[in-house]
Amino acid sequence: MTQHDAYENAAAKAPPSLDALADRVQGPVLRPGTEEYDREQNGFQQAFRNDPVAVVGATGPGDVRAAVEYAAAHGLPVALQATGHGLASVTERPLLVSTRRMTGVTVDPAARTARIEAGVRWEGVIEAAAPHGLAPLSGSAPNVGAISYLLGGGLGVLAREFGYAADHVRSVDLVTAEGRARHVTAESDPDLFWALRGAGANFGAVTAVEVDLVPVASVQGGGLHFDADLVPDVLRAFTTWSATLPDELTASVSVLEYPDIPPMPEPLRGKYAAHVRFAYTGDAATLERLLKPLRDVGPRLIDDVGEIPYTESGRIYADPPVPHAYFGSNVLLDRLDADALVAAAEAGGPGAPAGAVIDVRQLGGALRRRPEVPSAIGHRDAAYILRVLSALDERGADAVRPVHEAVYAAVADATVGRRVNFIYGDRTTTEQVRDAYEPADYRRLRELKRRYDPENLFRCTYNIPPAD
Ligand SMILES: Cc1cc2nc3c(=O)[nH]c(=O)nc-3n(C[C@H](O)[C@H](O)[C@H](O)COP(=O)(O)OP(=O)(O)OC[C@H]3O[C@@H](n4cnc5c(N)ncnc54)[C@H](O)[C@@H]3O)c2cc1C
């Protein structure tokens, strides 16, 4: 009997009895139709939900294991949720493991590492590391979940200096599809360790990760905002300027129409504007010199540059802190062409049928280097990543898709791939996921998927199916 037959038989013989599961776990098992169930599956992303048959509020690896075994026995897919930043459209009802109670962070200052449990947001690691003059390789928004970010690669505010966060993972604790708790390192399971760092959510329910911390207490950084009439000039200047930067400077530019609401700084309210953001680990005087070509473009609506403690690194990108509905994706570019970038911005700009945020981050530097211990992250030679993102209204994703397609079309000549972390709302698209990996790596990932999750239990993610 195959594992699949076993699941089918079990499902036929024993209809899911949540009481049996509840008896095995310490945390709550929440059922549809209750307020607790709704609260637990509510995430930062407001447009999508998992709509599970039940939610297991896991308190530790034992609960995660019981949930995975239960789902496998009853032929249910397993969905994982920490913060709900990555919620996406679903086509079937999973068993949801909510990790928000697993919030332990332990820092080892001598080893410069942190052990992070499954439900931890980056802000928890940043706070725990800061007293030791250390920082994690976190991203633009400190309220994003650390584990999923790491499993998908992890492009941080200091990315060009230190590389992908996933390449700084030392070990991964997870429960695999067969219900086995494993401690995975480069030495113990080289294949699985490779796959977990870049395509990780396909291979199990991760309960904790150990990562490197870097000796950064503060950065020189901030942002320059330019008004609508300067947007094309800023994009042109960013194209030439970014090509000259040292690896210690990680920069990006976004263009968007800012909402006309009080939380927005007054100079930006209701304005279409460009925002160049950067973090630099060198000294203030050098940064001032490096910024000159950008400031020469023209007057700034806001010019906010200075020393920022890493605990306030979220100020650099100033991502919206409140839950909302959004949709978007990204393309990796092998070069940035100024005309194409201006055309891309126009395609999503004020005249477009739906509003879009265009965000271009420079890659290169340490992101280009192959790590000592290889990982599944693909397209390392990409020079930039261009992201497109729209807030959704009642018209849903179909209203914004044509705008996004027009943006991607403008940079199609330079497009070489994608990053799974920045696929928002539409993770079930196999082609998008395949684009994230080198062809040979994608084949290897599928082989590993057949070995570690042949029934595709962990498919409620950027899925790599084991078979066609
Ligand atoms: C505002 C914002 C800013 C962002 N900034 C960056 C950035 O700077 N750099 C970057 O690289 N990414 C960034 N991201 C993308 C982010 O890394 C992904 O969306 C990530 O998946 C979010 O993880 P989460 O735990 O917060 O969300 P969740 O929705 O809770 O989880 C997302 C997915 O991760 C998987 N998952 C979660 N927990 C586990 C687990 N324990 N085991 C296995 N799989 C699990 C599941 O597939 C789940 O659907 C950003 C996203 C947003 C919305």
Side-chain angles (χ1 to χ4, degrees):
M1 188 190 294
T2 66
Q3 195 182 9
H4 181 75
D5 293 337
Y7 293 157
E8 297 260 291
N9 281 351
K13 280 187 204 134
S17 157
L18 292 170
D19 292 341
L21 175 59
D23 287 345
R24 282 196 60 195
V25 296
Q26 309 245 301
V29 175
L30 307 169
R31 298 149 208 249
T34 63
E35 255 180 55
E36 292 84 354
Y37 167 98
D38 285 341
R39 249 200 322 272
E40 190 86 21
Q41 68 152 328
N42 189 24
F44 185 85
Q45 162 65 278
Q46 295 281 291
F48 306 98
R49 285 174 163 229
N50 278 301
D51 195 22
V53 296
V55 189
V56 176
T59 60
D63 286 0
V64 175
R65 191 169 171 189
V68 170
E69 283 178 355
Y70 178 89
H74 293 94
L76 294 168
V78 178
L80 274 299
Q81 185 172 324
T83 73
H85 276 78
L87 286 169
S89 52
V90 290
T91 52
E92 57 189 331
R93 303 186 73 187
L95 179 68
L96 175 62
V97 179
S98 167
T99 60
R100 62 169 72 169
R101 293 165 187 76
M102 297 170 64
T103 53
V105 181
T106 322
V107 169
D108 180 339
R112 288 186 182 166
T113 57
R115 186 174 187 279
I116 307 168
E117 289 183 0
V120 173
R121 297 171 189 261
W122 274 124
E123 57 205 6
V125 190
I126 292 171
E127 290 297 333
H132 310 286
L134 298 170
L137 296 175
S138 49
S140 61
N143 62 349
V144 160
I147 299 299
S148 174
Y149 167 103
L150 289 165
L151 298 177
L155 187 63
V157 293
L158 300 174
R160 281 170 37 80
E161 181 169 3
F162 296 106
Y164 290 100
D167 291 334
H168 292 266
V169 169
R170 294 197 177 191
S171 67
V172 180
D173 292 340
L174 82 163
V175 176
T176 52
E178 59 185 358
R180 195 171 145 204
R182 303 173 80 121
H183 179 71
V184 177
T185 64
E187 293 74 34
S188 73
D189 305 83
D191 284 339
L192 185 54
F193 193 62
W194 171 83
L196 282 168
R197 293 168 308 127
N202 282 280
F203 291 92
V206 172
T207 55
V209 166
E210 191 190 4
V211 293
D212 294 329
L213 300 172
V214 294
V216 173
S218 65
V219 296
Q220 299 294 331
L224 309 177
H225 285 87
F226 298 86
D227 210 343
D229 56 332
L230 291 177
V231 166
D233 292 346
V234 172
L235 296 178
R236 287 180 193 286
F238 181 83
T239 305
T240 42
W241 174 74
S242 58
T244 66
L245 299 177
D247 294 356
E248 292 74 25
L249 204 165
T250 299
S252 65
V253 61
S254 69
V255 285
L256 67 149
E257 193 167 335
Y258 286 88
D260 190 2
I261 46 172
M264 281 299 138
E266 210 283 320
L268 299 178
R269 281 187 210 163
K271 291 230 168 93
Y272 179 66
H275 181 198
V276 184
R277 300 79 59 98
F278 32 79
Y280 179 53
T281 54
D283 61 88
T286 310
L287 180 62
E288 284 298 303
R289 221 175 28 251
L290 287 167
L291 291 179
K292 185 167 182 315
L294 285 179
R295 288 199 170 114
D296 285 349
V297 172
R300 278 79 64 198
L301 293 168
I302 297 178
D303 187 321
D304 182 16
V305 182
E307 180 164 356
I308 299 179
Y310 201 80
T311 46
E312 292 172 29
S313 58
R315 267 172 49 198
I316 298 170
Y317 283 79
D319 286 333
V322 286
H324 59 285
Y326 48 95
F327 183 85
S329 189
N330 67 94
V331 283
L332 294 169
L333 306 175
D334 65 3
R335 63 190 179 279
L336 198 58
D337 174 80
D339 289 340
L341 180 57
V342 170
E346 275 170 14
V357 180
I358 316 285
D359 175 39
V360 178
R361 296 194 194 184
Q362 190 190 5
L363 305 177
L367 296 163
R368 200 183 279 267
R369 284 176 223 133
R370 268 63 189 157
E372 235 167 78
V373 179
S375 66
I377 296 167
H379 308 296
R380 285 177 183 272
D381 293 335
Y384 293 86
I385 180 167
L386 181 145
R387 303 166 53 215
V388 190
L389 187 70
S390 292
L392 293 183
D393 58 22
E394 59 293 339
R395 293 173 299 162
D398 287 345
V400 303
R401 267 184 232 273
V403 176
H404 293 203
E405 290 310 322
V407 176
Y408 298 133
V411 292
D413 284 353
T415 296
V416 291
R418 202 180 305 277
R419 286 274 169 263
V420 289
N421 267 3
F422 296 115
I423 304 175
Y424 296 143
D426 207 4
R427 280 202 168 153
T428 48
T429 316
T430 311
E431 292 73 31
Q432 285 212 53
V433 177
R434 191 187 295 126
D435 286 351
Y437 305 99
E438 309 293 345
D441 287 349
Y442 189 74
R443 283 194 296 277
R444 183 177 171 197
L445 286 167
R446 290 191 77 176
E447 280 166 25
L448 291 170
K449 186 73 175 167
R450 283 194 282 277
R451 193 188 321 163
Y452 288 103
D453 184 15
E455 304 304 329
N456 206 5
L457 203 63
F458 298 102
R459 59 183 179 267
C460 303
T461 185
Y462 43 88
N463 190 222
I464 296 168
D468 291 322

